[in-house]
Amino acid sequence: MTDVLPDFQQYQMAFTAHIRNPALHGKPANVPEKRMAVYRDAIFNNFLTTVSACFPVCQQVLGARGWKTLVRRFVAEYAAKTPIFKDIPFEFVQFLGRLEDIPVYLTELAHYEWVELEVTHQLTQTQPCSAVPDFLNEVPQFSAHQLLAYAYPVHQISKKNIPREKTTTYLLVYRNATFSVKFMALNPVTYHLLSLLKAQPLSGRQALKLLATELGQSDPTAILQFGHEILLDLARQEVFMGTSKMV
Amino acid sequence: MPISAVSSPIQGAGLGLKRELIPQIQHLYQDPSIANINFVEIAPENWLGAGGKALHDLAWFAERYPIACHGLCLSLGGPDPLNTTFLKQVKSFLSAYKIPLYTEHLSYCSDTYHGEGGYLYDLLPIPFTEEAVHYVAKRIRQTQDILGQRIAVENASFYAACPISSMDEITFLKAVLEEADCWLHLDINNIYVNSVNFGFDAHTFLRQIPGERIVYGHIAGHFQQSPDLLIDTHGKDVIDPVWTLLDSAYALFGTFPTLLERDSNIPPLSSLIAEVNRIAYYQAQYEHQGVNQLTLPTALAAVS
């Protein structure tokens, strides 16, 4: 394949192959080591800085040496597809997803850390909200958010707290009105309620009745009252921007 | 978000819009102390797909300042196919924010790896060969066709000469500009950096520049790793020999809109502004002398 490429492209391929994996590919002939090192170091350090900024907990869990090794593998083994800088961390998450020799909790943790960046930039659909919100009779409008379920308690992981076993964990990451990203652990019922509201435009009452049916409650009164309070509480924390009329 | 971008031309002196500088510029907006910031420059790779606060800030600037776009990842010299999906996103972005100028580097930042195109996010040196001239020129033309407008291509800094090169940098640059029929984005600091890294005379190089193609300029500081190796970090103040080169460029070609790049080790705006003012000062010298000035409004006619 490479022998059909013109000389300048063969040279370029040799140049980048060496930058990506100097242990496997020697530098192109007649390029001074000191000059080649500028590119090798600059590119590795760029990747390291960009990725480290997004994944501080993964970095802490692996330790400095383990983290660098992982980023080296990212440069050496993965062809990043995005020209857009803020999307590089997602490429890293995809890269980790392909690795079979790292623990699942680490892949999940990396995803959770990336979600903060995603929610920071997420575009929200702006349905006009009613002047006075009505969480029972109108459709709650989410702020920018991600509703997440992980096999491990990713929000509690630290160097001193490595999960030993799976515990299904429900989390909400959202952006408030002043652009701050917030994190919230959810119980399974609240997670289910929010999933129903996300799946289709339902009023709070419709979603809570559906929830009652699914929970096998023939009388939804208690769930309606309890659920309404949950929705109001989430609204106070700016998980919702407001409510809009049913279309 | 509705955007009411201004569509005034890029002219005078400008400043690269780094996130650190945004609140400072917003705070001093319309203050005489920063009056010489006539335009700002952004990299589409830093802003495409932005939302939340970043989008809010971008809209603020688009309503108040002309914006120039200076790309980093188009990879004009890259071995993988030109990323036309990305280019179309850039086109929409330029249109949404009424950005008249898009420039890119005469370099590459991607490869074909395990059969897939992959980005390396840094500016790598294209070997200066005949084949490379035709290849890059064709990709610049393809870019201009997709955008429906001319782009300006920047002379890049580099650190490793390609042993297979069959011509020098100025010959390569002129050949590409000619064959692609594109504009030149003249980076003054890059001329200086390369003159030290490869032992040529910066002023001799400058005199061979096709001045009629210049639409835009950059000036920046660099890091001296050793006496014969300068790294284009944009992390320090501009040094005097580089200011002298800018002055010479204005003397030779007339003034052109010129931007101060500062990408790392960023000082407060109150001290950075001195360098923007210095660009404006040199420009004023030549404008008063009536030297032929090449401005973007006339040069920026779309390619037809």
Side-chain angles (χ1 to χ4, degrees), chain A residues 130 132-140 204 228 243:
Chain A
S130 305
V132 179
D134 180 345
F135 281 91
L136 277 184
N137 298 306
E138 295 189 352
V139 181
H228 188 204
T243 61

Side-chain angles (χ1 to χ4, degrees), chain A residues 46 80-86 88, chain B residues 43-46 48 70-78 80-84 86-87 90 102-105 107-111 118-123 139 143:
Chain A
N46 270 347
K81 284 278 178 249
T82 183
I84 296 167
F85 296 141
K86 77 169 177 58
I88 298 172
Chain B
E45 293 81 357
N46 271 327
L48 272 172
H70 178 52
L72 293 161
C73 286
L74 190 58
S75 202
L76 284 171
D80 53 329
L82 196 68
N83 189 338
T84 54
F86 169 62
L87 203 46
V90 170
Y102 176 52
T103 80
E104 251 291 355
H105 298 84
S107 68
Y108 70 110
C109 68
S110 58
D111 61 1
Y119 286 94
L120 286 157
Y121 310 105
D122 209 338
L123 304 171
R139 283 163 70 103
T143 300

Side-chain angles (χ1 to χ4, degrees), chain A residues 1 5-17 19-21 24-25 28-32 34-39 41-44 46-47 74-88 91 98 119-123 175 178-179, chain B residues 19 43-46 48-56 72-73 77-80 83 86 89 108 110-114 116-127 129 131-132 135 157-164 196-198 225-226 228-229 231:
Chain A
M1 175 76 188
L5 291 175
D7 289 351
F8 80 96
Q9 287 191 326
Q10 287 186 40
Y11 174 85
Q12 287 179 305
M13 302 289 260
F15 197 77
T16 62
I19 288 170
R20 286 181 180 277
N21 194 343
L24 195 63
H25 306 286
N30 301 319
V31 177
K34 180 176 146 189
R35 301 303 184 93
M36 196 68 231
V38 174
Y39 287 104
D41 296 348
I43 286 176
F44 176 70
N46 270 347
F47 272 96
F74 181 45
V75 179
E77 297 171 19
Y78 187 81
K81 284 278 178 249
T82 183
I84 296 167
F85 296 141
K86 77 169 177 58
D87 295 338
I88 298 172
E91 298 273 1
R98 290 186 188 180
V119 171
T120 299
H121 288 288
Q122 195 180 100
L123 298 174
R175 191 174 78 212
T178 48
F179 301 118
Chain B
R19 296 271 152 96
E45 293 81 357
N46 271 327
L48 272 172
K53 176 82 166 66
L55 199 60
H56 205 257
L72 293 161
C73 286
D80 53 329
N83 189 338
F86 169 62
Q89 290 176 292
Y108 70 110
S110 58
D111 61 1
T112 305
Y113 196 60
H114 299 319
E116 299 179 278
Y119 286 94
L120 286 157
Y121 310 105
D122 209 338
L123 304 171
L124 304 172
I126 305 170
T129 70
E131 278 176 315
Y135 180 82
S157 57
F158 55 105
Y159 314 109
C162 307
I164 64 163
V196 171
N197 290 350
F198 303 105
Q225 184 162 317
S226 62
D228 66 345
L229 180 55
I231 312 290

Side-chain angles (χ1 to χ4, degrees), chain A residues 18-234:
Chain A
H18 173 70
I19 288 170
R20 286 181 180 277
N21 194 343
L24 195 63
H25 306 286
K27 65 179 173 60
N30 301 319
V31 177
E33 166 55 24
K34 180 176 146 189
R35 301 303 184 93
M36 196 68 231
V38 174
Y39 287 104
R40 260 194 334 254
D41 296 348
I43 286 176
F44 176 70
N45 288 328
N46 270 347
F47 272 96
L48 187 64
T49 306
T50 304
V51 177
S52 299
C54 189
F55 305 99
V57 186
C58 288
Q59 197 181 347
Q60 185 210 54
V61 164
L62 286 173
R65 185 180 294 183
W67 179 246
K68 274 193 173 182
T69 305
L70 192 59
V71 176
R72 277 203 192 284
R73 285 184 67 183
F74 181 45
V75 179
E77 297 171 19
Y78 187 81
K81 284 278 178 249
T82 183
I84 296 167
F85 296 141
K86 77 169 177 58
D87 295 338
I88 298 172
F90 186 60
E91 298 273 1
F92 187 70
V93 170
Q94 289 180 304
F95 160 70
L96 294 184
R98 290 186 188 180
L99 299 182
E100 289 172 0
D101 55 350
I102 61 164
V104 173
Y105 71 77
L106 193 70
T107 315
E108 287 202 332
L109 173 62
H111 183 272
Y112 179 59
E113 292 202 273
W114 162 75
V115 166
E116 177 176 2
L117 178 70
E118 198 283 326
V119 171
T120 299
H121 288 288
Q122 195 180 100
L123 298 174
T124 47
Q125 294 183 333
T126 44
Q127 290 278 352
C129 287
S130 305
V132 179
D134 180 345
F135 281 91
L136 277 184
N137 298 306
E138 295 189 352
V139 181
Q141 297 297 318
F142 282 90
S143 305
H145 75 285
Q146 280 215 29
L147 185 60
L148 303 154
Y150 293 106
Y152 289 93
V154 288
H155 61 308
Q156 293 170 342
I157 297 178
S158 68
K159 182 139 190 111
K160 290 183 177 162
N161 188 16
I162 305 297
R164 296 233 170 86
E165 51 199 50
K166 291 184 176 177
T167 313
T168 306
T169 301
Y170 302 105
L171 296 164
L172 178 69
V173 180
Y174 68 99
R175 191 174 78 212
N176 72 12
T178 48
F179 301 118
S180 287
V181 176
K182 303 285 179 184
F183 303 83
M184 189 187 289
L186 303 175
N187 60 43
V189 175
T190 305
Y191 175 82
H192 197 150
L193 172 61
L194 295 182
S195 303
L196 292 171
L197 288 168
K198 265 179 77 86
Q200 51 179 315
L202 297 175
S203 70
R205 189 187 306 279
Q206 288 171 326
L208 288 164
K209 281 187 170 172
L210 204 54
L211 184 67
T213 310
E214 290 182 12
L215 292 173
Q217 307 269 329
S218 50
D219 179 5
T221 314
I223 291 216
L224 274 172
Q225 190 182 356
F226 174 66
H228 188 204
E229 281 168 21
I230 289 175
L231 293 175
L232 290 174
D233 182 52
L234 291 172

Side-chain angles (χ1 to χ4, degrees), chain B residues 48 87-98 147:
Chain B
L48 272 172
L87 203 46
K88 284 169 192 161
Q89 290 176 292
V90 170
K91 183 178 181 171
S92 307
F93 184 81
L94 298 177
S95 157
Y97 291 96
K98 298 193 172 70
L147 294 178

Side-chain angles (χ1 to χ4, degrees), chain B residues 156-159 169 189-200:
Chain B
S157 57
F158 55 105
Y159 314 109
E169 184 191 352
N189 181 56
N190 289 354
I191 297 177
Y192 185 80
V193 164
N194 289 355
S195 76
V196 171
N197 290 350
F198 303 105
F200 62 78

